[in-house]
């Protein structure tokens, strides 16, 4: 609280501000630093939603501190008094500047325009070389100047101030002084001044955009003249530092950034000679080994210049592109990554400026270098290389032969790598699609090469019909399912991009090969291998997501539907799952044909096919969740048709089927929360609170299975980032599952809570005390051991072990994500019991204690005596006759206990407990003897 006593009007903040005028400097600095920490913690609490700093939010239910109107003026005024005091010490002025910097991030920032101008005026007196205006002694100038420049930069970059006010105040008061600061002797002041100057063009751009939104006359003569003057002042200050060689590295990097910002925004206000001078210096820095990484980071700034008045970089463009391409040969991964990112941006924005036949020759060399680093041993570099290749192909279509010669062979090798995934895979698909769209490669030739990869690379051979042997993969495909899946997606993307006639032929061939496989027994036959069957199934499904198969002539959709359902009876599990995947994907583009068939098949209650049909349905829903189909439609109209079938399988005795149903429900909850959440709530109300029936076919058992499915569905929905505002109102109903009698339901409910705490802690933070913690405390201590008679010997089973693990995981995550929502002192006895539990629980407890030593040490100090005995038993544990992995695991267990003991011993006040002190020394000597 900011109030010392609720019955008094004076607040803690007000009392501290009044004491800024303490005569003793040590006391004055301590008071200002204390207030700065109070302000920083208040701003952090406001960001977390614990308090509000806006005066208009009194009805929101959280404490309100009217910082802007009640405190900011007093804070600014008090700081200004410290800054203008000629007898004030350096430490006081530094603390005042730090306080103003912290105030910048609070709502409202420094305050009104008059306060901004006043602060800038005091900073002017600090930076001014004129002794008449200087309020600091000569010996203290450097450090205070640095702090003042840092404050100016923070004020310019934070989003709490109006850009127009900052701009007018800065240009009229500080621009000249900051430009003069660039000529200082201390490198830190020079670098910080350059950082401030680098923000000036962005400030002008923000004001220009604001004026454009207000539809004011932004290009008036006065504005143009002012901009020209600012550009000249910036150029005169930055250019000498950019051209100098014998400077600190930090100054060189800051000068590069400042010059790039100047060129990007204010190049219309610079002469052609000035532009060429800065560009030539940037190129020179790019060729220098010590500054090339910093220079590469400035190139995207130049490339992102305004499209309405784009900077002409043609004088250095060819040299820049060639230099970046040569850097791709470097061994340093950081250099290659920076070069690729800059190269891609430069080509995208300025690649068409090369002109003539020189661009083909230039890009041929670039593509040669790009092709050499497309390997699966570094997928991120491969991704960046493929993106740069796509950019070259877009800006220069005549470079298609070079792409085919240098980039396509390693790309084809990459297509069958089992490591290929995520961004690298998406970039590869985009490259293949662009090759087909731009006619850089003949479609049939490319299709043949991709199909040949199935036997040439996955089968073990490393060459293909397009010279793929020029590049090698670091790992063989080896028949990997992932490699076949990636290859199918490649075939699907080029087929979707080609002409309708070519597409019809490909689909016809796919159907023919699949029909031949069915005739041969479903798993391939003469001339058709099992991998070719999987490839055909997956390719047809991926193609069906991109194009509407029902719109193709010849009954393509019904034929494929029959084929997919036929493969559900195949003997190969891989073929079954490939058919289910293909059925779900093909349903995206032709839902009217495939979805009714899936739902009708589910009604037939074929237990063997239910899992596969639900897998297809899950794939259909997942596709819409991650972006939908080619026509951009949605699945909302089909939810009422799908939901009854999912509900009917909620209580299936097969856990795999229920998990698939839960995934479908979770994805649908993300897509249609308004429809799904009331249905899930109704399921909990209908099936919850029932007695558990030991009979698997009994009604009580089915009720428990239904509740398990609902809890798992909500867990999947939260993990998939369902809308928390829609979920919040239904969470109390779902949290009642924590009190169910069935252990599996309670465990599923705990996992649901864990998912929520991990992904969206605000969803359950307000429900912890009433709905979650009572059950959590109970389940964290639940012990349900039973002895199973196995004939020759007996085995003890603890049915509550998964529940205790889940409960401790929730506590651990709450301590990190939302510590204010749990009762930490009440958790200490539970943690003490966990230290004496089985090995897995003990390891969890050790990690929690070590984490709490840094974040919440005070509750640990009071409970440390309860931890001593179980920790001592863990460390004194005998390894006996254990060998191999069992011995290694036992040693890790003991070392974990020792790490916990050391972390506790470092807490203030712990060693005063006699038991802990004795235990610490005994453990030390035992470890030394070992």
């Amino acid at each position: 609280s900011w109030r010392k006593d609720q019955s008094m009007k004076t607040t803690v903040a007000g009392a501290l501000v009044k004491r800024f005028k303490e005569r003793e400097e040590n006391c004055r600095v301590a008071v200002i630093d204390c207030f700065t920490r109070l302000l920083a913690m208040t701003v952090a609490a406001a960001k977390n939603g614990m308090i509000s700093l806006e005066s208009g939010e009194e009805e929101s239910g959280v404490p309100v501190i009217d910082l802007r109107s009640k405190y900011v003026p007093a804070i600014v005024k008090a700081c200004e008094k410290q800054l203008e005091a000629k007898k004030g010490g350096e430490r006081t002025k530094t603390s005042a500047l730090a306080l103003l910097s912290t105030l910048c991030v609070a709502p409202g920032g420094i305050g009104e325009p008059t306060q901004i101008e006043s602060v800038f005026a005091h900073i002017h007196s600090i930076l001014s070389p004129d002794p008449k205006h200087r309020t600091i002694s000569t010996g203290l100038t450097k450090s205070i100047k640095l702090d003042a420049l840092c404050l100016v930069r923070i004020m310019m970059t934070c989003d709490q101030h109006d850009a127009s006010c900052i701009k007018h105040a800065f240009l009229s008061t500080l621009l000249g002084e900051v430009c003069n600061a660039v000529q200082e002797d201390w490198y830190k002041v020079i670098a910080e001044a350059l950082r401030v100057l680098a923000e000036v063009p962005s400030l002008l751009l923000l004001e220009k955009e604001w004026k454009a939104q207000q539809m004011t006359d932004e290009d008036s003569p006065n504005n143009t003249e002012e901009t020209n003057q600012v550009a000249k002042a910036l150029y005169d200050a930055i250019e000498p530092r950019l051209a100098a060689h014998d400077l600190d590295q930090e100054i060189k990097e800051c000068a590069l950034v400042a010059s790039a910002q100047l060129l990007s925004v204010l190049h219309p206000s610079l002469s052609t000679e000035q532009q060429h001078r800065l560009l030539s210096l940037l190129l020179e820095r790019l060729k220098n080994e010590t500054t090339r990484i910093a220079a590469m980071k400035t190139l995207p700034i130049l490339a992102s210049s305004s499209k309405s008045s784009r900077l002409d970089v043609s004088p250095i463009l060819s040299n820049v592109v060639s230099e970046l391409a040569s850097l791709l040969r470097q061994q340093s991964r950081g250099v290659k990554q920076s070069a690729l990112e800059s190269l891609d941006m430069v080509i995208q924005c300025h690649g068409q400026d090369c002109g003539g036949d020189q661009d083909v020759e230039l890009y041929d060399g670039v593509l040669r270098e790009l092709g050499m680093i497309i390997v699966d041993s570094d997928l991120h570099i491969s991704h960046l290389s493929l993106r740069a290749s796509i950019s070259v192909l877009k800006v220069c279509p005549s470079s298609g032969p070079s792409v085919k010669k240098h980039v396509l062979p390693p790309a084809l090798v990459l297509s069958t790598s089992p490591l290929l995934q995520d961004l690298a895979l998406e970039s590869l698909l985009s490259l293949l699609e662009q090759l087909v769209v731009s006619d850089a490669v003949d479609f049939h030739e490319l299709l043949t090469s991709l199909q040949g990869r199935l036997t040439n690379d996955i089968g073990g051979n490393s060459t293909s019909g397009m010279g793929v042997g020029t590049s090698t993969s670091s790992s063989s495909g080896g028949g990997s399912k992932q490699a076949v899946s990636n290859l199918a997606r490649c075939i699907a993307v080029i087929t979707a991009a080609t002409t309708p006639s070519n597409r019809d032929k490909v689909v016809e061939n796919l159907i023919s090969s699949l029909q031949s496989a069915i005739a041969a027994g479903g798993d391939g036959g003469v001339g058709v291998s099992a991998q070719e069957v999987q490839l055909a199934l997956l390719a047809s499904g991926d193609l069906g997501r991109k194009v509407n198969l029902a719109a193709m002539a010849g009954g393509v959709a019904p034929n494929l539907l029959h084929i997919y359902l036929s493969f559900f009876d195949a003997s190969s599990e891989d073929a079954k799952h490939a058919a289910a995947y293909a059925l779900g994907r093909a349903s995206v583009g032709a839902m009217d044909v495939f979805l009714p068939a899936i739902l009708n098949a589910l009604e037939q209650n074929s237990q063997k096919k239910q899992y596969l049909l639900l897998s297809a349905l899950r794939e259909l829903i997942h596709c819409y969740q991650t972006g939908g189909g080619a026509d951009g439609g949605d699945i909302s109209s089909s939810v009422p048709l799908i939901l009854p079938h999912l509900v009917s399988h909620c209580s299936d005795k097969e856990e795999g089927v229920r998990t698939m149903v839960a995934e479908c429900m979770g994805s649908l909850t993300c897509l249609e929360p308004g429809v799904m959440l009331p249905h899930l709530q109704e399921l909990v109300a209908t099936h919850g609170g029932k007695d558990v029936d030991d009979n698997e076919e009994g009604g009580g058992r089915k009720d428990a299975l239904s509740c398990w499915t609902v809890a798992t569905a909500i867990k999947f929905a939260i993990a998939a980032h369902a809308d928390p505002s829609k979920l919040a109102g239904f969470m109390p109903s779902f949290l009642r599952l924590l009190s169910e009698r069935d252990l599996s339901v309670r465990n599923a409910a705990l996992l649901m809570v864990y998912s929520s705490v991990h992904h969206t802690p605000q969803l359950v933070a307000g429900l912890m005390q009433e709905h979650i913690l009572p059950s959590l405390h109970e389940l964290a201590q639940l012990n349900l051991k039973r002895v199973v008679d196995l004939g020759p010997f007996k085995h003890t089973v603890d049915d509550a072990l998964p529940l205790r693990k889940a409960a401790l995981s929730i506590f651990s995550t709450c301590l990190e994500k939302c510590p204010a929502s749990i009762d930490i002192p009440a958790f200490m006895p539970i943690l003490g019991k966990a230290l004496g539990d089985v090995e897995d629980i003990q390891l969890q407890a050790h990690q929690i204690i070590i984490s709490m030593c840094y974040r919440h040490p005070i509750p640990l100090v009071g409970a440390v005596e309860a931890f001593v005995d179980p920790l001592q038993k863990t460390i004194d544990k005998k390894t006996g006759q254990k060998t191999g992995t069992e011995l290694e695991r036992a040693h890790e267990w003991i070392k974990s206990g020792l790490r916990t003991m050391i972390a506790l011993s470092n807490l203030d006040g712990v060693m005063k407990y006699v038991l802990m002190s004795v235990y610490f020394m005994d453990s030390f000597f035992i470890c030394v003897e070992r």
Side-chain angles (χ1 to χ4, degrees), residues 634-909:
D634 58 56
I635 200 174
S636 58
S637 60
S638 302
V639 172
L641 301 176
I642 298 173
L643 190 54
H645 297 275
L646 295 177
V647 172
S648 64
H649 289 83
C650 276
S651 57
D652 195 283
K653 62 181 181 180
E654 293 292 335
E655 184 177 351
V657 173
R658 296 197 312 275
T659 302
M660 202 63 65
V661 170
E663 287 192 45
C664 293
M665 285 183 166
S667 297
L668 286 176
T669 302
C670 296
L671 293 170
E672 297 292 330
V675 176
M676 290 300 302
L677 289 173
H679 277 86
L680 294 175
Q681 185 182 41
E682 183 181 352
L683 285 174
V684 172
T686 303
H687 300 284
K690 305 291 182 66
D691 292 333
V692 180
D693 193 345
D694 294 335
N695 184 6
E696 292 188 0
E697 302 297 330
R701 182 59 182 165
K702 289 187 175 182
D703 289 329
L705 295 178
S706 297
C707 291
W708 181 93
T709 305
V710 172
T712 308
I714 297 299
K715 179 191 74 172
F716 285 133
I718 294 172
H721 307 291
D723 188 355
S725 61
K726 301 288 182 63
L727 270 171
F730 295 89
M731 284 305 294
S733 300
F734 300 137
L735 291 175
R736 285 202 294 267
L737 296 175
L738 289 169
S739 303
E740 289 292 315
R741 297 185 180 182
D742 187 82
L743 294 181
S744 63
V745 175
R746 302 181 85 174
N747 188 48
L750 286 173
L751 296 178
M752 175 187 70
V753 173
Y754 175 79
S755 179
S756 179
V757 172
H758 181 73
H759 295 285
T760 54
Q762 69 274 15
L763 187 61
V764 293
L767 304 173
M768 276 287 180
Q769 296 295 332
E770 181 179 355
H771 295 87
I772 299 177
L773 287 183
S775 298
L776 211 56
H777 287 178
E778 175 193 352
L779 296 177
Q781 306 174 79
L782 187 62
N783 198 322
L784 296 175
K785 291 184 178 180
R786 55 189 176 89
V787 178
V788 180
D789 190 352
L790 299 177
F793 56 91
K794 294 181 179 180
H795 179 62
T796 302
V797 177
D798 189 351
D799 293 326
L801 180 60
L803 280 74
R804 297 202 300 278
K805 286 183 179 180
L808 280 180
S809 298
I810 292 172
F811 275 119
S812 176
T813 310
C814 284
L815 289 171
E816 177 184 355
K817 300 283 186 177
C818 50
S821 63
I822 60 175
D823 187 356
I824 297 180
F827 173 56
M828 292 299 100
I830 299 175
L831 192 58
K833 291 183 178 180
L835 290 172
D837 208 322
V838 297
E839 180 179 344
D840 292 341
I841 301 294
Q842 285 188 36
L843 293 175
Q844 280 185 284
H846 293 166
Q847 293 299 321
I848 292 173
I849 291 176
I850 293 173
S851 176
M852 288 185 65
C853 286
Y854 299 99
R855 295 176 180 171
H856 310 282
I858 296 178
L860 286 178
V861 175
V864 70
E865 286 192 305
F867 300 161
V868 173
D869 187 56
L871 282 173
Q872 186 174 9
K873 289 181 179 179
T874 298
I875 294 177
D876 294 343
K877 191 74 174 180
K878 303 297 183 182
T879 57
Q881 301 298 320
K882 295 180 180 178
T883 58
T885 56
E886 290 187 357
L887 180 61
E888 183 178 351
R889 183 174 176 83
H891 285 164
E892 289 297 328
W893 186 12
I894 295 172
K895 286 190 288 185
S896 177
L898 285 170
R899 284 192 291 267
T900 306
M901 179 267 296
I902 294 172
L904 285 171
S905 65
N906 290 330
L907 296 179
D908 292 337

Side-chain angles (χ1 to χ4, degrees), residues 411-418 420 453-454 457-458 476-477 483 486-487:
L412 289 175
V413 173
L414 188 65
S415 67
T416 50
S417 170
L420 181 62
R453 303 303 304 170
L454 184 66
D457 188 59
I458 297 179
S476 173
N486 293 340
L487 194 58

